[in-house]
Amino acid sequence: MKDRYYSQPVEEILQQLKVSSDRGLSEDEVKERLTRYGPNQLQSQKQKTLLMMFFEQFKSIMVVILLIAAVVSGVIGVMEGEGLVEAFVILAILVINAVIGTVQEKKAQSSLDALNKMSSPHSKVLREGQVTEITSTEIVPGDIVVLDTGDIIPADLRLIEAVNMKVQESALTGESVPVEKSEEVLEAKELPLGDRDNMAFSTSTVTYGRGKGVVVGTGMETEVGKIAHMLQNTQDTETPMSKRLGQLGKVLGYVALGICVFIFIIGVLYGNHWLEMLMMAVSLAVAAIPEGLQIVSTIVLAIGVQRLVKLNAIVRTLPSVETLGSVTVICSDKTGTLTQNKMTVVEGWTGGNRIDFRNPPLPEELDSDEQMLLQSSLLCTDAHLKMLSGGEHEIAGDPTETAIVDAALGLKMDKNELDNRFPRVEEVPFDSERKRMSTINRMADGKFRVNLKGGLDEVLAVSTRILIHGKVRPVTEEDIETIKEENQRMAQSALRVLAVAYKDMDTLPDEVSTETIEKDLIFVGLLGMIDPARPEVVEAVKKCKTAGIRPVMITGDHKVTAVAIAGEIGIYNEGDKAVTGTDVEEMDDDTLYRDVEAYSVYARVAPEHKVRIVKAWQSHDDIVAMTGDGVNDAPALKQADIGVSMGVVGTEVAKEASDVILTDDNFATIVSAVEEGRRIYDNILKAIQFLLSANVGEVLLIFIASIANIGNPLTPILILWINLVTDSLPALALSMDPADKDVMTRKPRDPKQGFFTRGMIRRIGYQGATIGLISLAAYIIGFKDGGQPLGQTMAFAVLGFSQLLHVRNLHSNRRSSFQTSIFSNKSLLGAIFLSALLLFAVLVIPGVMEIFGVTAMDGTHWLYVGLLSLVPIVVVELMKLMKFNHSKDEY
Ligand code: ATP
């Protein structure tokens, strides 16, 4: 019975679920049901437990090498009578490293979870008589859900009301065409899901119309819950970037193994003890592996994502942060994104008269045509007018419509009063493909009137007659000419123009649809409304251009209006072209591909054109960001490299299909997000360069020492202390580096370009060599004065401290570090300070010194350490001066 809600009358179900369809549940009732039924979510998302995360840290090749190191140290320790201290230290470092790794991964995961929550679907429910928006997971059985076009159905519902409602439920039923829904009871006993027309199932989407339903199943109790195991989608923290870095680590691991074998053989041939050589080989392996690289990149991305939220952009997946930095084209909607979406009606035109709404006539001065223009457009709006005490009022709804309600109120025409007099009985809702909508209202004499409004061409296409001075006559060519001239005049001053028409009918047709209703209408007139550009957009467009990013306007609005606004904000410049959706339709793919770069404005575009526009740019190897808010925008959002949806006005479907959600719907935010993407990528490169130059230095040091046969300059625990402890803090803190001055004046990064550009290889090479050589010098000085222990101590000190100074070199590849204040990145300053303390701890605290096998240095040795550690700064500054620090293709 439970599954047969479709065969039960709604009233019965409402009774069973103890809810009224006009008030919904009470908050207490909701709380109680939430505890009883649990949150409305699929339990498929298996979260990794902390323990799992911890053990996963041990899965790398590094651990194997470190374990070998521990064993070798243990054996040597026992043989030489020094005990197992070193072996235990290595094991301890391994565990500490795993703990740090776990904590960091957990942190990254939590920030992703928080983000997921932010970008998870919302629904409108009726509770305590009020419609409120809530996260869909908070829905309980018995909730009354209000559905509009573009909503994702949050739970299984029995429909109470369905107005022209169509639902796409292909994921559940395999039916690719949206199905029409109704609230009628179905008599049949056994119906397959696809035929249950009065039910709406969780995860399906409303593609048309609106409706209301009562929740009969949530979470795992929904139809999709039953097949949930097929839909597991855990979000992994692993991104292409971190994968690439992981692979790099592996390659370096194998290379290291090769060199290890080589060193081992050479050492033994020199006549050294094989165990000692094994130790040296293991040291080298430890030195060669960039242990912190992968986790640092993930954390830096996760930190970046949090910063993006503050900039009003919710990035839904980590890889998108990387792609953001490479965006070369931003295709943006106009209304609300480039403009404020604060419409005000400023002009009207009907039957040859113009109405100036800025200096409106008195209500009694309106002639019958003008009254019809206002009345028809008012009856054909979904905006809600609420009169407040003290003569104030509030209008809710689509800005195009609230503008009309507001303008009419200025002429003493009250929408509520009009709706009461002429109640709406039917409607064909607005959609961006038809670009018009109509309502049928019952008139005082019991007959019906169709009121229609929409784009001019779309209204003219269905009008055969015209109202002039109270009389109706067929539309002539001249009428059309005059109307178009009037439209052109308004559009050129950047006004959005809506046309209005009506017709009377004695009876209602059997079926209300665009075909049966929207024909043979009487044209009434035009309304022109202004939607000012967002002031910050002009600056953002300029920024795009200096950053090598092409802004393109895509709008459903009229071409002339679109071009006027695009000109105002700098998107449309001399020599640019503007086309309409129809033009695009007529073009074949080759022509569109050839000309796409010339078009700055696409007007009268329907969502399906957007996909072709994205593809045309992409076939020029461009990386496209495309905005969208409607259901039909989903394919274009998916096709784009970065799909951007609108947090405020966007539909849930669009949000689901996008990579980035703008919480302020603002074009300028996309540009800031791109800037942030570039900054994050730069900083990851800095971290890679920083960590790898240390590795190269260490390898070189040990390699030369082994060839020269002067003993092992660094033990594994000393290397580990640097690689895992004192180096990773500054590497992480590099993520907080402010954006480079030229971050938005250089060309976008080619996404195919890996991390290792020529410049990068050169820098890692010579900077690593410098660090390696100064450490070698320190080793030799120490060795001469106090044998191997002092040599190792000094090599360790120089390696550690020089890295901490070297990190300052990384702020910019071109500019001197002295041009950057040390306070520009306070986290880095803190990290350097902390790491320095950790180095000192090993070098001066007696007990710790013993564990790490270092000896005390005197004043002269410290002076050497200080001077040698400064060398990388001098060398890199010189290289920057000689322009050797970067290659031509780099910033
Ligand atoms: P964008 O610039 O973001 O694409 P848009 O508002 O211009 O947005 P749509 O909302 O798809 O795009 O509107 C397209 C056209 O449909 C408008 O230019 C207008 O002519 C018409 N239109 C828009 N809203 C309504 C409405 N509420 N009723 C009737 N017609 C409308």
Side-chain angles (χ1 to χ4, degrees):
M1 191 58 215
K2 202 160 160 273
D3 282 352
R4 301 244 186 89
Y5 291 108
Y6 57 86
S7 60
Q8 268 181 288
V10 168
E11 296 70 33
E12 217 175 285
I13 299 175
L14 290 170
Q15 237 172 28
Q16 275 168 14
L17 291 165
K18 299 201 187 65
V19 63
S20 102
S21 63
D22 352 289
R23 280 203 61 76
L25 295 171
S26 71
E27 286 305 331
D28 288 342
E29 191 63 21
V30 169
K31 252 190 221 144
E32 193 266 318
R33 291 187 193 197
L34 206 54
T35 2
R36 183 150 32 118
Y37 297 103
N40 175 32
Q41 64 194 21
L42 302 179
Q43 286 153 8
S44 63
Q45 272 124 326
K46 267 202 215 107
Q47 285 276 0
K48 271 194 226 164
T49 62
L50 265 185
L51 209 63
M52 277 158 76
M53 273 187 202
F54 179 74
F55 283 113
E56 272 181 17
Q57 310 292 327
F58 291 94
K59 275 200 327 214
S60 70
I61 176 166
M62 171 187 105
V63 175
V64 178
I65 290 174
L66 290 185
L67 282 176
I68 299 177
V71 172
V72 176
S73 303
V75 174
I76 293 182
V78 170
M79 279 178 45
E80 295 182 356
E82 286 167 3
L84 294 173
V85 182
E86 191 161 334
F88 278 121
V89 172
I90 296 181
L91 289 179
I93 289 184
L94 225 110
V95 173
I96 293 174
N97 179 52
V99 170
I100 295 177
T102 312
V103 171
Q104 292 183 329
E105 194 177 331
K106 178 76 196 156
K107 255 174 84 194
Q109 185 70 53
S110 314
S111 73
L112 278 184
D113 286 349
L115 214 66
N116 259 346
K117 207 163 170 197
M118 239 187 280
S119 62
S120 69
H122 284 66
S123 311
K124 297 178 282 293
V125 292
L126 182 70
R127 286 179 182 173
E128 310 212 326
Q130 297 276 353
V131 176
T132 41
E133 197 168 294
I134 57 164
T135 322
S136 300
T137 48
E138 293 164 19
I139 284 182
V140 293
D143 257 328
I144 306 290
V145 178
V146 178
L147 297 169
D148 281 307
T149 310
D151 285 350
I152 295 175
I153 293 164
D156 283 1
L157 310 176
R158 166 67 158 90
L159 295 172
I160 305 171
E161 189 186 320
V163 182
N164 300 309
M165 191 168 125
K166 285 192 187 150
V167 172
Q168 167 67 264
E169 47 192 31
S170 57
L172 275 171
T173 61
E175 171 67 58
S176 60
V177 189
V179 249
E180 179 118 25
K181 294 286 177 183
S182 91
E183 66 271 9
E184 305 294 325
V185 182
L186 299 164
E187 296 300 342
K189 277 224 169 78
E190 267 315 323
L191 277 181
L193 288 188
D195 292 340
R196 300 182 190 173
D197 290 345
N198 55 16
M199 299 286 294
F201 300 108
S202 177
T203 70
S204 313
T205 54
V206 183
T207 57
Y208 198 74
R210 58 185 172 85
K212 202 158 106 177
V214 55
V215 175
V216 294
T218 59
M220 294 307 279
E221 292 304 310
T222 57
E223 290 302 327
V224 59
K226 292 180 191 159
I227 50 166
H229 55 279
M230 295 173 5
L231 302 164
Q232 299 208 347
N233 59 341
T234 46
Q235 191 175 29
D236 212 340
T237 44
E238 198 161 42
T239 68
M241 186 189 292
S242 77
K243 268 190 209 142
R244 261 186 283 159
L245 287 172
Q247 279 159 1
L248 174 73
K250 259 192 206 140
V251 172
L252 288 177
Y254 291 126
V255 172
L257 278 180
I259 308 181
C260 285
V261 174
F262 177 73
I263 285 184
F264 180 78
I265 295 173
I266 291 224
V268 173
L269 287 182
Y270 272 137
N272 296 322
H273 192 288
W274 70 272
L275 254 181
E276 213 171 287
M277 280 331 292
L278 191 60
M279 191 64 188
M280 192 153 175
V282 169
S283 301
L284 188 125
V286 174
I289 300 172
E291 290 88 354
L293 211 55
Q294 203 172 356
I295 189 77
V296 165
S297 85
T298 308
I299 305 265
V300 173
L301 282 179
I303 295 175
V305 163
Q306 282 163 344
R307 282 178 56 132
L308 279 160
V309 170
K310 292 198 190 108
L311 294 174
N312 295 326
I314 301 176
V315 177
R316 299 183 63 236
T317 55
L318 283 188
S320 313
V321 180
E322 201 182 328
T323 320
L324 263 176
S326 312
V327 164
T328 56
V329 181
I330 305 178
C331 297
S332 173
D333 279 347
K334 172 177 71 67
T335 313
T337 315
L338 293 166
T339 66
Q340 301 176 13
N341 208 6
K342 285 193 189 126
M343 309 256 181
T344 317
V345 178
V346 290
E347 272 197 53
W349 179 89
T350 178
N353 293 334
R354 284 183 192 153
I355 317 172
D356 181 359
F357 283 90
R358 287 179 173 132
N359 301 299
L362 293 171
E364 53 274 18
E365 287 170 5
L366 293 178
D367 69 15
S368 60
D369 295 4
E370 289 163 341
Q371 281 188 7
M372 181 62 93
L373 179 72
L374 287 174
Q375 192 187 78
S376 266
S377 56
L378 259 191
L379 286 172
C380 184
T381 60
D382 291 328
H384 297 282
L385 169 66
K386 202 161 135 193
M387 297 312 273
L388 307 170
S389 57
E392 297 285 302
H393 66 271
E394 208 178 74
I395 310 171
D398 180 276
T400 307
E401 307 213 320
T402 56
I404 298 175
V405 176
D406 197 43
L409 206 62
L411 288 164
K412 300 275 173 296
M413 220 182 249
D414 179 332
K415 168 157 170 73
N416 294 342
E417 190 255 332
L418 216 57
D419 278 344
N420 286 339
R421 264 203 292 158
F422 311 120
R424 186 188 294 191
V425 286
E426 284 291 353
E427 65 195 85
V428 189
F430 174 77
D431 73 63
S432 43
E433 222 118 336
R434 268 168 48 251
K435 298 187 177 51
R436 60 177 181 240
M437 65 179 278
S438 39
T439 60
I440 306 181
N441 301 71
R442 181 177 286 118
M443 303 313 283
D445 57 4
K447 291 187 180 160
F448 300 97
R449 175 165 295 167
V450 176
N451 296 293
L452 177 140
K453 73 178 190 329
L456 175 64
D457 296 326
E458 289 71 17
V459 174
L460 275 182
V462 292
S463 302
T464 49
R465 294 166 287 166
I466 185 166
L467 177 74
I468 299 222
H469 306 314
K471 294 209 175 66
V472 176
R473 62 164 171 74
V475 185
T476 63
E477 286 297 320
E478 285 107 82
D479 293 332
I480 292 182
E481 190 93 342
T482 324
I483 294 167
K484 287 201 164 157
E485 268 168 27
E486 219 33 57
N487 173 60
Q488 183 81 0
R489 193 185 54 78
M490 290 191 202
Q492 268 165 351
S493 14
L495 297 189
R496 153 177 287 209
V497 187
L498 277 194
V500 181
Y502 80 100
K503 77 171 173 187
D504 289 324
M505 292 188 307
D506 292 338
T507 52
L508 285 180
D510 293 341
E511 199 201 312
V512 173
S513 68
T514 171
E515 289 80 19
T516 56
I517 297 300
E518 295 177 341
K519 57 178 187 191
D520 206 16
L521 280 121
I522 304 164
F523 189 88
V524 185
L526 305 171
L527 288 172
M529 44 191 91
I530 191 107
D531 175 18
R534 286 177 181 267
E536 62 276 28
V537 156
V538 179
E539 215 27 65
V541 167
K542 263 197 212 136
K543 220 181 204 181
C544 274
K545 293 197 168 160
T546 54
I549 302 167
R550 172 75 179 274
V552 174
M553 177 192 277
I554 298 193
T555 174
D557 226 334
H558 200 275
K559 186 160 133 185
V560 183
T561 313
V563 168
I565 294 179
E568 232 172 72
I569 56 183
I571 286 188
Y572 185 88
N573 300 295
E574 280 239 3
D576 287 357
K577 285 187 184 159
V579 277
T580 64
T582 326
D583 298 335
V584 173
E585 228 155 80
E586 282 163 9
M587 275 179 221
D588 57 20
D589 283 345
D590 288 340
T591 321
L592 185 59
Y593 168 79
R594 197 192 59 216
D595 295 343
V596 71
E597 289 172 350
Y599 302 132
S600 293
V601 173
Y602 294 84
R604 281 292 185 238
V605 164
E608 76 261 16
H609 302 136
K610 287 187 172 181
V611 178
R612 285 191 64 207
I613 299 169
V614 173
K615 282 189 177 160
W617 276 108
Q618 281 171 336
S619 38
H620 283 273
D621 282 342
D622 275 292
I623 306 295
V624 189
M626 165 72 85
T627 67
D629 48 18
V631 200
N632 305 340
D633 287 333
L637 291 175
K638 284 202 181 123
Q639 175 69 37
D641 301 277
I642 295 282
V644 184
S645 66
M646 304 297 144
V648 185
V649 302
T651 56
E652 293 298 322
V653 174
K655 286 183 204 164
E656 271 298 295
S658 65
D659 304 294
V660 177
I661 304 177
L662 302 181
T663 48
D664 62 354
D665 294 8
N666 190 342
F667 175 81
T669 302
I670 311 177
V671 183
S672 315
V674 169
E675 184 170 349
E676 184 63 13
R678 289 187 178 191
R679 189 190 69 84
I680 294 170
Y681 194 83
D682 281 357
N683 289 349
I684 289 179
L685 287 186
K686 290 179 193 173
I688 294 176
Q689 188 187 323
F690 174 67
L691 292 174
L692 285 186
S693 57
N695 290 114
V696 169
E698 290 158 5
V699 171
L700 207 69
L701 169 65
I702 301 173
F703 190 72
I704 297 178
S706 74
I707 303 268
N709 200 21
I710 50 174
N712 187 6
L714 279 177
T715 57
I717 51 172
L718 292 177
I719 301 174
L720 281 176
W721 192 249
I722 289 176
N723 286 9
L724 287 176
V725 185
T726 65
D727 261 9
S728 33
L729 294 175
L732 270 182
L734 276 174
S735 70
M736 300 309 240
D737 246 18
D740 205 79
K741 254 196 286 182
D742 60 8
V743 72
M744 287 304 260
T745 50
R746 59 174 126 109
K747 296 263 156 302
R749 177 181 57 85
D750 179 354
K752 285 202 258 16
Q753 180 187 60
F755 303 123
F756 297 104
T757 53
R758 256 183 295 152
M760 181 76 151
I761 294 171
R762 189 190 304 166
R763 279 189 298 277
I764 293 176
Y766 90 80
Q767 292 171 5
T770 310
I771 291 166
L773 291 178
I774 53 172
S775 312
L776 186 68
Y779 176 70
I780 294 172
I781 294 170
F783 195 93
K784 282 210 175 114
D785 286 1
Q788 195 175 26
L790 184 62
Q792 287 181 340
T793 307
M794 284 185 69
F796 168 73
V798 167
L799 194 63
F801 287 117
S802 66
Q803 276 289 102
L804 296 189
L805 294 174
H806 171 54
V807 70
R808 287 264 301 139
N809 285 328
L810 291 148
H811 290 309
S812 162
N813 287 332
R814 282 173 186 265
R815 272 186 302 282
S816 158
S817 316
F818 296 103
Q819 289 176 12
T820 321
S821 149
I822 46 168
F823 296 107
S824 67
N825 181 350
K826 295 207 181 72
S827 313
L828 185 61
L829 207 59
I832 294 175
F833 184 69
L834 199 65
S835 290
L837 281 185
L838 289 166
L839 281 176
F840 276 121
V842 171
L843 288 167
V844 298
I845 301 175
V848 188
M849 286 169 68
E850 262 159 49
I851 295 177
F852 280 83
V854 303
T855 57
M857 292 188 283
D858 63 19
T860 325
H861 298 136
W862 275 107
L863 188 66
Y864 275 125
V865 169
L867 288 175
L868 285 171
S869 301
L870 283 171
V871 172
I873 291 201
V874 178
V875 172
V876 176
E877 283 298 328
L878 280 176
M879 291 299 192
K880 284 182 183 172
L881 214 62
M882 293 187 305
K883 304 206 183 315
F884 182 81
N885 197 46
H886 62 89
S887 61
K888 272 202 204 89
D889 54 340
E890 283 182 312
Y891 65 91

